Amino acid sequence: MLKKNFVLTKECKHIAFIMDGNGRWAKKRGLPRHLGHKEGCKRIIEIARACQEFGVKAMTLYAFSTENWNRPQDEIDNLFNYLDDFFHDNIAEFHEKHIQIRVMGDQSRLPLHTQETLKDAINQTKEYDSLIFNICLNYGSQQEIVRAAKAIAEDYKAGKLSLDDLDKESFNDYLYSAGIPKVDLLIRTSGEQRLSNYLLYQLAYAEFIFTPTYWPDFKRDNLIDCLKEYCNRNRRFGGLENK
């Protein structure tokens, strides 16, 4: 039954997703793995709509990690083709709903056609502020932290930064996620219970929810179930209670 009247009762500015289980979803149906990614792309816009409906300000999607290059080449090629199609097919809705597109990760290794698609989508939506739609491609959190440390060292060497200026907030400015609200909730689909080198710095005080549902089956009502659980959590942030 469609859950029409859900209201988010606890602030949740930023939800991060690990979109897991596409290949297993396809295998269960006797389909090639890449068709699981194709179906998974259909869920992305539905979940984006729901996030905006519930007042979420940012969503981050783990679409392709630095380790995913180890997968079969045809699966990789199909995945990036589906991502291109996703942005081409939905750019009008991003405009209509004033959704800003951002990308985290080293885009230089992505297929040239995908780089062009992303560059165009980012430029077209950079002034929007209704929802930040943030997608991680060729992303690994350990690599992101090392990249930030190198940039800090370069700024220090150039006299642009003093050690007294460096704290956890200024360090965040050197990450891909600079300017995006801290993650409140992480949702990983498919039943796996690990972070897989994802947002290790940004998830410091996020709530984690692991659902057995495969990503291609993860829809608005599944998100609501996760948000209900999130609203029942007592977020103490290291204290005795959340006042």
Side-chain angles (χ1 to χ4, degrees), residues 164-177:
D164 290 338
D165 293 332
L166 187 60
D167 56 23
K168 64 181 182 180
E169 296 302 328
S170 58
F171 186 88
N172 187 68
D173 292 339
Y174 287 88
L175 298 173
Y176 287 121
S177 56

Side-chain angles (χ1 to χ4, degrees), residues 125-157:
T125 63
K126 61 185 179 182
E127 302 299 329
Y128 296 151
D129 60 3
S130 177
L131 173 71
I132 295 174
F133 178 92
N134 187 30
I135 188 163
C136 294
L137 294 165
N138 194 25
Y139 172 85
S141 187
Q142 291 175 330
Q143 292 85 341
E144 176 188 27
I145 293 169
V146 170
R147 171 182 173 273
K150 288 180 177 179
I152 289 169
E154 290 173 356
D155 281 355
Y156 175 76
K157 184 178 180 180

Side-chain angles (χ1 to χ4, degrees), residues 1 24 26 64 88 98 100 128 174 180-181 184 206 215 241:
M1 181 180 295
R24 280 167 283 171
F64 193 86
H88 291 145
H98 288 200
Q100 178 189 136
Y128 296 151
Y174 287 88
I180 301 177
D184 293 301
W215 177 255
E241 61 179 327

Side-chain angles (χ1 to χ4, degrees), residues 64-241:
F64 193 86
S65 76
T66 50
E67 291 74 34
N68 286 154
W69 295 108
N70 296 320
R71 296 189 176 190
Q73 189 61 47
D74 65 331
E75 181 178 343
I76 293 172
D77 292 342
N78 279 300
L79 174 60
F80 285 115
N81 287 334
Y82 296 145
L83 283 173
D84 285 358
D85 291 342
F86 168 81
F87 284 109
H88 291 145
D89 293 344
N90 293 288
I91 192 65
E93 181 160 349
F94 285 111
H95 283 302
E96 178 186 350
K97 296 186 176 179
H98 288 200
I99 298 172
Q100 178 189 136
I101 296 168
R102 290 184 55 162
V103 177
M104 287 173 54
D106 179 5
Q107 299 177 53
S108 65
R109 192 177 172 185
L110 304 182
L112 290 177
H113 61 85
T114 300
Q115 292 184 44
E116 289 300 317
T117 296
L118 295 172
K119 181 180 178 181
D120 184 51
I122 291 167
N123 287 335
Q124 286 191 50
T125 63
K126 61 185 179 182
E127 302 299 329
Y128 296 151
D129 60 3
S130 177
L131 173 71
I132 295 174
F133 178 92
N134 187 30
I135 188 163
C136 294
L137 294 165
N138 194 25
Y139 172 85
S141 187
Q142 291 175 330
Q143 292 85 341
E144 176 188 27
I145 293 169
V146 170
R147 171 182 173 273
K150 288 180 177 179
I152 289 169
E154 290 173 356
D155 281 355
Y156 175 76
K157 184 178 180 180
K160 298 178 181 179
L161 179 74
S162 72
L163 292 181
D164 290 338
D165 293 332
L166 187 60
D167 56 23
K168 64 181 182 180
E169 296 302 328
S170 58
F171 186 88
N172 187 68
D173 292 339
Y174 287 88
L175 298 173
Y176 287 121
S177 56
I180 301 177
K182 294 181 177 66
V183 180
D184 293 301
L185 173 63
L186 167 76
I187 298 173
R188 180 167 188 156
T189 57
S190 87
E192 303 291 350
Q193 299 186 29
R194 56 180 177 271
L195 294 181
S196 298
N197 197 18
Y198 183 52
L199 302 179
L200 302 179
Y201 192 88
Q202 297 88 341
L203 291 172
Y205 274 103
E207 298 294 321
F208 293 1
I209 294 178
F210 301 104
T211 171
T213 304
Y214 293 146
W215 177 255
D217 290 327
F218 190 84
K219 301 182 180 180
R220 178 182 178 276
D221 282 358
N222 301 94
L223 177 62
I224 289 175
D225 289 337
C226 292
L227 290 173
K228 285 180 176 178
E229 181 176 341
Y230 167 81
C231 289
N232 288 328
R233 300 274 181 93
N234 183 11
R235 304 190 72 198
R236 297 186 296 276
F237 299 97
L240 295 180
E241 61 179 327

